[in-house]
Amino acid sequence: MSSNTTNEIDIVPVSKSKIDTVDFENLTFGNVFTDHMLVCDFKDGKWQKPIIKAYEPFLIDPSAKVFHYGQAIFEGMKAYKDETDSIWLFRPDENFKRFNDSAKRLAMPEITEDIFIEGLKEILRLDKDWVKKGKGNTLYLRPFMIAIGSGVIAQPSTQYRFMIIMSPARSYYSGEVKVIIAEHYSRAANGGIGAAKAAGNYSAQFYPTKLANEKGFQQIIWTDDATHTKLEEAGTMNVFFRIGDTLFTAPTGERILDGVTRKSLIDLARTIGIQVEVRSVLVSELVEAAKNGTLKEIFGAGTAAVVNPIVGFSYQNEYYELPKIEDSYALRLKEKLTNIQYKIDEDTFGWTVKV
């Protein structure tokens, strides 16, 4: 095993890759990981030198504050390989900014661009064979930070660990997606951490989602915490509603994550002449549109799923099936976005970054 240093990152490559043991045609999302991971610790008030080494478990003190006070944030990103074997990132600057916004909200140290962006590029160069060509094949990237300082006193940690792990991926959701509109549970509240990509936001969703699953629904459309009258997100995704020929989506804020896919779809839609309104959509509006036939589509948007059409929703024990339409905004926008990501179409927005 040899080691070297590149761009202030220590690299210790594995002696033998495990890639030949992976069935890339039958992947379960997020279950298989590449050969390497990046690790960088924060201590004594500064970030230490990052290292890329073999993907493996690590020891951590049982009193580490991540276990007791939930200081944990992450990002979800993807890498794409085009037909010339070049690897591309999609708007990594947005993920870098959002990661640091999340860090600030959870009283964690901000990461530097050299560690985040250059670290991503370096580990991708090392594990480049794990990025497969072909539309639908991606390498899912998971940068995250946890509090590793020991002690159970209720205060922010003084030590943190930033890591990047990577997982080959295909489609995130499969089959038809039906949703139930939340009438009691909320994803986030004003003044809370809904706008941060914090681990606790997702654990809080698991129980109400389990209840929805037991009723035959795959996901929940979350509503505002105060009145449960405003539609906000769908499961772990931002959500869009097509009423007539207009696309609606809720504004970002304290409760709603500033999704990279969401903002990209808004720009794409407006570029191709689709009218987009960014405003709160009421549950009553959605039900009325479903009843009078003007509700054409609902779809979720996020890094993992890209665009995920929703076939129907339930509210107050009544189910509303959406029509099957030929001119689907969801499918049009997904096609245009993924064509940019895979470098099939020209990236006129400057969103893609070569590794």
Side-chain angles (χ1 to χ4, degrees):
M1 181 182 293
S2 62
S3 64
N4 56 68
T5 301
T6 304
N7 295 331
E8 299 305 313
I9 299 175
D10 285 339
I11 300 174
V12 184
V14 297
S15 56
K16 180 176 173 57
S17 175
K18 61 188 177 188
I19 193 169
D20 291 338
T21 67
V22 176
D23 180 1
F24 283 87
E25 296 301 315
N26 295 286
L27 292 168
T28 300
F29 185 89
N31 275 16
V32 175
F33 295 92
T34 66
D35 293 316
H36 298 93
M37 62 184 188
L38 180 143
V39 182
C40 186
D41 285 352
F42 180 91
K43 62 181 181 180
D44 300 326
K46 62 182 179 181
W47 288 103
Q48 308 301 301
K49 194 171 190 180
I51 182 170
I52 296 175
K53 59 181 182 177
Y55 181 94
E56 60 188 1
F58 58 88
L59 293 174
I60 189 169
D61 195 289
S63 70
K65 290 184 184 290
V66 64
F67 298 138
H68 303 274
Y69 302 110
Q71 280 186 294
I73 61 172
F74 69 94
E75 276 297 319
M77 308 170 66
K78 285 181 177 178
Y80 310 83
K81 182 174 281 186
D82 67 18
E83 288 305 309
T84 68
D85 287 328
S86 294
I87 297 172
W88 298 84
L89 293 168
F90 183 74
R91 306 190 76 172
D93 55 320
E94 293 288 345
N95 295 97
F96 170 66
K97 177 182 179 299
R98 188 171 66 183
F99 191 85
N100 279 336
D101 287 343
S102 298
K104 284 185 285 187
R105 182 61 184 84
L106 271 75
M108 303 170 82
E110 294 180 50
I111 196 73
T112 67
E113 189 169 354
D114 283 349
I115 297 171
F116 190 97
I117 300 292
E118 295 307 315
L120 279 168
K121 291 180 178 180
E122 206 59 58
I123 193 172
L124 278 168
R125 293 183 187 114
L126 197 58
D127 282 347
K128 62 182 183 300
D129 292 339
W130 289 80
V131 193
K132 298 300 182 182
K133 283 193 294 191
K135 203 168 181 183
N137 294 318
T138 62
L139 191 61
Y140 184 77
L141 317 175
R142 174 52 66 89
F144 65 99
M145 191 201 307
I146 59 173
I148 60 171
S150 59
V152 294
I153 186 171
Q155 65 185 28
S157 177
T158 59
Q159 296 183 46
Y160 297 87
R161 179 161 294 165
F162 172 76
M163 299 184 66
I164 300 172
I165 57 177
M166 308 190 298
S167 176
R170 303 191 81 177
S171 176
Y172 186 57
Y173 293 109
S174 60
E176 293 188 339
V177 174
K178 297 187 293 183
V179 300
I180 189 168
I181 293 178
E183 298 178 54
H184 173 70
Y185 294 102
S186 296
R187 177 189 171 274
N190 282 333
I193 59 172
K197 206 160 175 64
N201 288 341
Y202 295 80
S203 60
Q205 295 184 32
F206 293 158
Y207 177 68
T209 302
K210 176 178 177 288
L211 298 180
N213 294 160
E214 291 170 354
K215 294 180 179 180
F217 298 90
Q218 286 70 46
Q219 285 291 353
I220 297 172
I221 292 185
W222 303 103
T223 50
D224 68 288
D225 64 300
T227 67
H228 294 289
T229 60
K230 299 175 183 177
L231 299 159
E232 302 208 320
E233 292 194 5
T236 58
M237 302 176 287
N238 295 115
V239 64
F240 288 82
F241 308 94
R242 177 185 175 185
I243 300 175
D245 290 329
T246 302
L247 208 52
F248 296 88
T249 192
T252 57
E254 288 186 310
R255 299 190 307 271
I256 298 176
L257 191 71
D258 186 14
V260 178
T261 303
R262 171 192 174 276
K263 65 178 65 178
S264 303
L265 292 178
I266 291 171
D267 289 345
L268 272 175
R270 287 172 171 161
T271 299
I272 63 176
I274 295 174
Q275 184 175 343
V276 181
E277 289 191 24
V278 179
R279 67 165 176 82
S280 294
V281 178
L282 300 178
V283 177
S284 57
E285 282 184 85
L286 192 72
V287 171
E288 178 59 28
K291 288 179 176 179
N292 66 30
T294 57
L295 178 62
K296 303 299 183 185
E297 294 181 85
I298 304 174
F299 58 90
T303 298
V306 187
V307 171
N308 196 218
I310 292 167
V311 300
F313 71 92
S314 175
Y315 180 65
Q316 294 185 340
N317 296 317
E318 187 166 354
Y319 181 69
Y320 301 88
E321 188 83 25
L322 270 68
K324 298 187 186 305
I325 57 176
E326 291 186 8
D327 179 27
S328 166
Y329 285 0
L331 297 182
R332 282 173 61 189
L333 291 170
K334 181 176 184 178
E335 179 79 4
K336 287 187 174 295
L337 182 60
T338 53
N339 279 355
I340 290 172
Q341 291 169 333
Y342 286 93
K343 306 302 287 184
I344 297 169
D345 291 345
E346 183 184 0
D347 174 16
T348 58
F349 297 93
W351 288 339
T352 51
V353 175
K354 193 173 184 178
V355 173

